[in-house]
Amino acid sequence: MSSSQANNAASAPSHNQLDTKAQAWSALFSEPMSDLVKRYTSSVFFDKRLWQADIAGSLAHAEMLAAQGVISAEDHASIQRGMAQITSEIESGAFEWKLDLEDVHLNIEARLTQLVGDAGKRLHTGRSRNDQVATDVRLWLRGEIDLIGDLLKELQISLVDVAEQNVDVILPGFTHLQVAQPVSFGHHMLAYVEMFKRDAERMADVRRRTNVLPLGAAALAGTTYPLDRERVAKTLGMEGVCQNSLDAVSDRDFAIEFTAAASLCMVHVSRLSEELIIWMSQNFGFIKIADRFTTGSSIMPQKKNPDVPELARGKTGRVVGHLMGLITLMKGQPLAYNKDNQEDKEPLFDTVDTLKDTLRIFAEMVGGQLNPATGKKEGGITVNAPAMEQAALKGYATATDLADYLVKKGLPFRDAHETVAHAVKAATTHACDLSELPLTVLQGFHPAIEKDVYECLSLRGSLNARNTLGGTAPAQVRVQLARHRARLA
Ligand code: ARG
């Protein structure tokens, strides 16, 4: 139908079908909505992405209405037939979405009525768009959370792969971005695995509270029809039924919780991004990321810019912004449904899109892409182990080890700390590493120092010595790797 036909239909409503939304509540209204108000209030051009959830919810509702004897078996069959046709129309792109019909719900219901007549009009028995939209968003988000769970798993596997290849590679560990102590690069990667593991757990937790059925709350107070809400929940694979009709139609906690979990996940991506950007800068040169994740400069021919991690860092702000938007949306809303809630969709949709794209791209950028010919992943980050080790040798990263050595010789830690400070000062003066100071010089700081000190002053000795649960000793890192591998299998 052309837009002029749609407008005609608005001014001369047909009695058989719902052509425009004016007819959803028509008789009371003496003038049509202005085009500006229509555009302002309609959501169809973004909420149409809920169509599958909308149809699934309607089919479950219709099935239950028939089982309860509220509609006939014939009407139920007609609704099923109509929805099957609508599904194929939407899938093929033939379905005509109409701004006039405000949202996905009215568009689909109008088409159903066009296709199957009165049976279509009976579908809305015992239901309101208020419980319908809440159901649709929950169903849709549940599916997206599952996809996000898969992507989080892939990203963790990529990080574990890189960790496994780099257990024995030594990186300067930083605090305050100053060289602190040597750490295994594998250990460093596994720190991010822990973060994304918690993100996956949070997503699973949000899913539990999302997967609860509002349908049957109707507009706000429940309904006079003998609905079997538990049956609908079961049909839709939902874990329970919202127990208060007012809360059912107005609650958007699940959207806020999801966006909070997504924000935190993006913050983790952003931290990783920041490290990748630093590590691939010329002054560090610790890693390279594949060219396809970088761009050149239009003026400086030598440049390869880390656009993907930079954008991810930037998009974190966008997702955190959506969290602020959603949480502010709910502030001050009285019970029950208010049209404000229509504003939940764009931030939620954009959060999902941004997070999914980001996780997908990071899994590939970090771990590489599967080459079907070799069955191996290729093109992940390239690690420059000598550069990392060289950098670890620069900032007296084993000073703590020397202090620990003296403690084992009987010095109180505070005294050992002071003694080592003198040694570091001497090494700075000689422009050499602690391990390069001759034994006699070291013994000048404390007579208990013996030849075996050089073992603990080496990067590898320092690493191996941190052999406690969760520490960076390669033996510990391998224990953690095995734990993650088993968990992610
Ligand atoms: N498009 C609306 C939304 O997204 C559907 C619910 C409308 N309900 C209403 N009473 N106007 O929230």
Side-chain angles (χ1 to χ4, degrees), residues 25 41-43 46-47 50 102-105 128-130 133 137 252 337-345:
W25 48 85
T41 56
S42 84
S43 53
F46 51 84
D47 69 17
L50 298 173
E102 187 174 304
D103 57 24
V104 60
H105 325 292
S128 151
R129 275 187 303 154
N130 299 350
V133 69
V137 178
R252 294 294 181 275
Y337 176 86
N338 301 282
K339 183 78 169 181
D340 311 40
N341 284 343
Q342 184 166 291
E343 285 289 305
D344 65 355
K345 292 177 196 60

Side-chain angles (χ1 to χ4, degrees), residues 158-168 184-187 189-190 193 477 481:
S158 286
L159 288 161
V160 168
D161 288 344
V162 174
E164 193 162 52
Q165 290 149 19
N166 294 282
V167 176
D168 295 303
S184 144
F185 187 60
H187 190 55
M189 290 289 100
L190 291 187
V193 174
V477 178
L481 270 171

Side-chain angles (χ1 to χ4, degrees), residues 57-86:
S58 287
L59 286 174
H61 181 67
E63 192 270 341
M64 178 275 294
L65 289 180
Q68 296 293 100
V70 178
I71 62 170
S72 68
E74 297 76 63
D75 283 343
H76 178 214
S78 301
I79 290 169
Q80 284 180 308
R81 180 168 47 82
M83 287 303 196
Q85 166 145 1
I86 291 171

